[in-house]
Amino acid sequence: MKILVVGANGTLGSAVRTELAAGHEVVSAGRSGGDVTVDITSVESIKAMYQKVGKVDAVVCAAGEAYFGPLAELTPDDNEIAVQSKLKGQINLVLLGVEHVNDGGSFTLTTGIIMDDPIIGGISSAMAGGAVRAFVQAAAIELPRGIRINNVSPNVLEESMDSYGPFFPGFVPVPAARAAKAYRKSVEGAQTGQTYTVY
């Protein structure tokens, strides 16, 4: 398969790229570097990426930013980061990408454990993740030509504990390579409308 991995240079995306590259042609996309550059907050940038990459069998998104901080300090502008990136950015990859995905292909988006297991400071990310999951469930029954869609909800990653550890007290982190297996399950499997939670 020819698989487009968006966010392929990040901690999670790198692991997903490695996992999928063993048996497939992987095209990496990111804000800086990769086979093609893309800013998922920009519709025009997403369109340009698809035009450059051409037809693919699967699109995987391991990108999406969100503000972390307590509710008392969360402003509409801060919240907009997750809305524009983690939420709209991922959904626009699907809306603009359907015609570029081959029959029987798939989309795999990224949500996150905190949409089901809340943490202090994670409101904005949880909100976006929950909305993406709802989109996945609803889109699964309407996507044409046998195209599937799922989302992966990983726990905090071992590799990200230095940055995000203080937000996740008592959580048992998972290696990025383990989380990457769920993306392979989505791409190579037959299920649709699913949330693959990685504990």
Short mmCIF file of all heavy atoms in Angstrom, two decimals, residues 8 11 13 15 43 67 89 107 123 179:
data_model
loop_
_atom_site.label_atom_id
_atom_site.label_comp_id
_atom_site.label_asym_id
_atom_site.label_seq_id
_atom_site.Cartn_x
_atom_site.Cartn_y
_atom_site.Cartn_z
N ALA A 8 4.65 12.81 10.47
CA ALA A 8 5.59 11.69 10.46
C ALA A 8 6.90 11.99 11.16
O ALA A 8 7.69 11.08 11.43
CB ALA A 8 5.87 11.25 9.03
N THR A 11 7.10 12.47 17.63
CA THR A 11 7.42 11.28 18.44
C THR A 11 6.54 10.10 18.05
O THR A 11 7.04 9.00 17.77
CB THR A 11 7.22 11.60 19.94
OG1 THR A 11 8.04 12.71 20.29
CG2 THR A 11 7.60 10.41 20.79
N GLY A 13 4.43 9.99 15.34
CA GLY A 13 4.46 9.82 13.90
C GLY A 13 5.68 9.05 13.41
O GLY A 13 5.59 8.24 12.48
N ALA A 15 7.27 6.73 15.04
CA ALA A 15 7.04 5.32 15.36
C ALA A 15 6.05 4.69 14.39
O ALA A 15 6.21 3.54 13.96
CB ALA A 15 6.55 5.18 16.80
N VAL A 43 -6.44 24.92 4.86
CA VAL A 43 -7.12 24.16 3.82
C VAL A 43 -6.28 24.14 2.54
O VAL A 43 -6.13 23.09 1.89
CB VAL A 43 -8.53 24.75 3.55
CG1 VAL A 43 -9.11 24.18 2.26
CG2 VAL A 43 -9.45 24.48 4.73
N TYR A 67 -3.63 23.19 23.45
CA TYR A 67 -3.11 23.92 24.62
C TYR A 67 -3.34 23.08 25.87
O TYR A 67 -4.43 22.52 26.06
CB TYR A 67 -3.84 25.25 24.74
CG TYR A 67 -3.55 26.01 26.02
CD1 TYR A 67 -2.43 26.83 26.12
CD2 TYR A 67 -4.39 25.91 27.13
CE1 TYR A 67 -2.16 27.54 27.28
CE2 TYR A 67 -4.13 26.60 28.30
CZ TYR A 67 -3.01 27.42 28.37
OH TYR A 67 -2.75 28.11 29.52
N GLY A 89 -8.18 20.39 11.72
CA GLY A 89 -7.08 19.94 10.87
C GLY A 89 -7.25 18.49 10.47
O GLY A 89 -7.12 18.13 9.28
N PHE A 107 -8.71 6.01 6.44
CA PHE A 107 -8.18 7.13 7.21
C PHE A 107 -8.01 6.67 8.66
O PHE A 107 -8.87 5.95 9.19
CB PHE A 107 -9.14 8.32 7.22
CG PHE A 107 -9.29 9.01 5.89
CD1 PHE A 107 -10.32 8.67 5.02
CD2 PHE A 107 -8.41 10.03 5.52
CE1 PHE A 107 -10.47 9.31 3.80
CE2 PHE A 107 -8.56 10.67 4.29
CZ PHE A 107 -9.59 10.32 3.44
N ILE A 123 -8.28 19.88 29.20
CA ILE A 123 -9.65 20.12 28.70
C ILE A 123 -9.69 20.32 27.19
O ILE A 123 -10.50 19.72 26.48
CB ILE A 123 -10.28 21.34 29.41
CG1 ILE A 123 -10.49 21.04 30.88
CG2 ILE A 123 -11.59 21.74 28.75
CD1 ILE A 123 -10.89 22.24 31.69
N ALA A 179 2.07 2.01 20.63
CA ALA A 179 0.94 2.77 20.10
C ALA A 179 0.86 2.64 18.58
O ALA A 179 -0.23 2.58 18.00
CB ALA A 179 1.06 4.24 20.50
#
